[in-house]
């Protein structure tokens, strides 16, 4: 199950919610966190992964072999982004316009185009002390496009899983768990199984921390997700951007629900709008000084206020039920 | 000599459009005979790379020079190798294409060899 935590407006608490949801879920589930805010990834500040894997990523740029090129112009015709131009007897490539789609290479009748990797950033991954598979993208300063990095980050899964089996992470929860909510206990000892001991599950919980805004990087983060968890604050700005991201999720056919953070400030327009359009409010986090202090000191909500562990796990169950429908 | 003037209309009396890649239309003129045709800019609604697309388009029209108000780096990098000279007309005044043509004939327009401003790419992405 893939859950995207998005917001539109920046600073509403996406990372706060994503990190706490991941920590709560990881007590029972195999959890992967992808920090897709590649321009300013900050989930690592709260989850403390050991980033032991690193890979450079980017897009494949066309390289034209002028000895083979007949300047027929087919490449320029098929390029959606006008990143390749044929002028008389010259074929020009504009790297900063190229999206790396490969259409020119594929369509060149002379096979005169090869491709080279243009590095735009890095992917870093590794386990967190809480046993979460963590990966993030980091865009190089000055790069204009975040989408290719996010796209590569979403494919990162296999490599990080290999890293996980190669390295034994510390156990998540060693306390004895009982009852029907502990299906993965060892039958003989009753000890909660560590993630590496658990039977493989198909439904790893993947939590993607989205970038702010409502442009291409957010769309790419949402693409392929099962649920959009939209964090907002009850202010006109929060509502304005919530509407935009809700529209993107709707367009992509992804069910959505809302977390109202800093509940109690602002007005009740978010609540009224959610009721009007039938968008469920799944959680409310009140505006409290102790939360702000905890987050400012690098703690997550579930660490600062342990009662939120249960609330976040209930949120996860709620989402799972909505995705199953 | 065939020149292109960027305009925001569909005749030689239409106002000069100081944008290049996002100009509404191109007025192709023969400076000797005064014959002219107007061509819609295919790059007007391009999501990106408008300068490259517009430059390729006027190269195909057979223009040897272009008059606009500004050129971005991609436009300049496409126009230069195509051998199309880039002239600048003042953006502030209200001129028609016909008046710009007169200034060109009188040699009153300055020429630029390179882009006059930074690219737009990345805006809003």
């Amino acid at each position: 199950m893939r859950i995207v935590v998005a917001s539109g407006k920046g600073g509403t608490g996406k990372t706060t919610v994503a990190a706490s949801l991941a920590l709560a879920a990881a007590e029972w589930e195999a959890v992967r966190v992808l920090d897709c805010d590649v321009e300013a990834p900050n989930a690592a500040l709260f989850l403390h992964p050991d980033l032991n894997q690193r890979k450079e990523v980017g897009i494949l740029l066309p390289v034209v072999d002028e000895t083979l090129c007949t300047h027929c112009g087919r490449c320029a015709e098929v390029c959606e982004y006008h990143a390749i131009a044929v002028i008389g007897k010259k074929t020009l490539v504009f790297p900063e316009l190229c999206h790396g789609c490969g259409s020119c290479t594929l369509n060149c009748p002379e096979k005169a185009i090869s491709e080279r990797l243009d590095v735009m950033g890095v992917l870093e991954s590794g386990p967190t002390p809480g046993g979460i598979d963590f990966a993030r993208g980091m865009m190089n300063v000055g790069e204009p496009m975040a989408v290719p990095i996010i796209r590569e980050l979403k494919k990162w899964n296999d490599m990080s899983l290999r890293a996980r089996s190669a390295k034994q992470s510390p156990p998540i929860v060693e306390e004895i768990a009982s009852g029907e909510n502990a299906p993965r206990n060892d039958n003989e000892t009753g000890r909660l199984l560590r993630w590496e001991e658990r039977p493989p599950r198909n439904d790893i919980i993947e939590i993607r921390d989205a970038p702010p805004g409502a442009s291409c990087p957010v769309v790419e983060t949402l693409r392929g997700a099962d649920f959009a968890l939209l964090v907002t604050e009850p202010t006109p700005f929060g509502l304005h951007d919530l509407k935009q991201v809700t529209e993107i999720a709707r367009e992509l056919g992804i069910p959505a629900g809302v977390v109202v953070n800093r509940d109690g400030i602002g007005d009740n327009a978010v609540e009224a709008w959610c009721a009007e359009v039938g968008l469920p409010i799944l959680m409310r986090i009140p505006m409290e000084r102790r939360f702000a202090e905890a987050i400012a000191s690098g703690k997550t909500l579930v660490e600062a206020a342990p009662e939120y562990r249960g609330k976040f796990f209930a949120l996860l169950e709620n989402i799972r039920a909505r995705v199953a429908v | 000599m065939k020149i292109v003037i960027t305009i925001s209309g569909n005749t030689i009396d239409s106002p000069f459009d100081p944008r290049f890649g996002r100009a509404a239309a191109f007025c192709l003129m023969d400076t000797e005979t005064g014959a002219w045709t107007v061509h819609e800019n295919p790059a007007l609604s391009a999501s990106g790379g408008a300068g490259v697309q517009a430059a390729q388009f006027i190269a195909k029209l057979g223009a040897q020079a272009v008059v606009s108000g500004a050129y971005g780096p991609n436009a300049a990098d496409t126009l230069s190798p195509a051998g199309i000279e880039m002239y600048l007309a003042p953006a502030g005044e209200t001129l028609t294409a016909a008046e710009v043509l007169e200034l060109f004939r009188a040699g009153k327009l300055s020429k630029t060899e390179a882009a006059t401003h930074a690219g737009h790419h990345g805006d809003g992405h």
Side-chain angles (χ1 to χ4, degrees), chain A residues 88-154:
Chain A
K89 294 284 163 209
K90 292 191 191 85
T91 301
L92 309 168
V93 175
F94 295 87
E96 72 278 22
L97 295 177
C98 181
H99 288 224
C101 72
S103 295
C104 53
T105 311
L106 203 64
N107 282 283
C108 177
E110 310 301 329
K111 308 238 174 300
I113 304 178
S114 56
E115 293 175 331
R116 69 173 170 89
L117 179 69
D118 177 43
V119 175
M120 304 167 86
V122 293
L123 302 187
E124 296 176 318
S125 75
T128 75
I132 296 166
D133 256 339
F134 183 94
R136 70 176 180 188
M138 290 261 271
M139 187 161 81
N140 290 345
V141 171
E143 286 291 341
M145 278 189 291
V147 170
I149 299 170
I150 298 169
R151 200 179 286 143
E152 291 300 315
L153 178 61
K154 285 161 65 183

Side-chain angles (χ1 to χ4, degrees), chain A residues 72 97 189 218:
Chain A
C72 70
L97 295 177
T189 64
V218 176

Side-chain angles (χ1 to χ4, degrees), chain A residues 76 82 85-87 90 94 96, chain B residues 48-49 52-53 56 74 78 82 121:
Chain A
H82 312 297
V86 178
I87 292 287
K90 292 191 191 85
F94 295 87
E96 72 278 22
Chain B
V52 177
Q53 196 184 6
Q56 283 186 100
N74 293 329
T78 311
H121 192 68

Side-chain angles (χ1 to χ4, degrees), chain B residues 35-117:
Chain B
W36 57 270
T37 48
V38 170
H39 306 264
E40 274 181 40
N41 179 4
L44 191 55
S45 59
S47 61
V52 177
Q53 196 184 6
Q56 283 186 100
F57 182 72
I58 68 162
K60 281 194 188 133
L61 290 178
Q64 293 150 281
V66 58
V67 185
S68 190
Y71 302 92
N74 293 329
D77 287 351
T78 311
L79 291 167
S80 294
I84 299 172
E85 295 177 332
M86 294 176 276
Y87 287 89
L88 292 165
E93 297 168 46
T94 315
L95 295 168
T96 65
E99 287 164 345
V100 172
L101 177 63
E102 284 318 305
L103 291 173
F104 178 82
R105 279 177 170 155
K108 288 188 177 159
L109 297 179
S110 62
K111 204 165 130 180
T112 177
E113 301 294 333
T116 55
H117 65 86

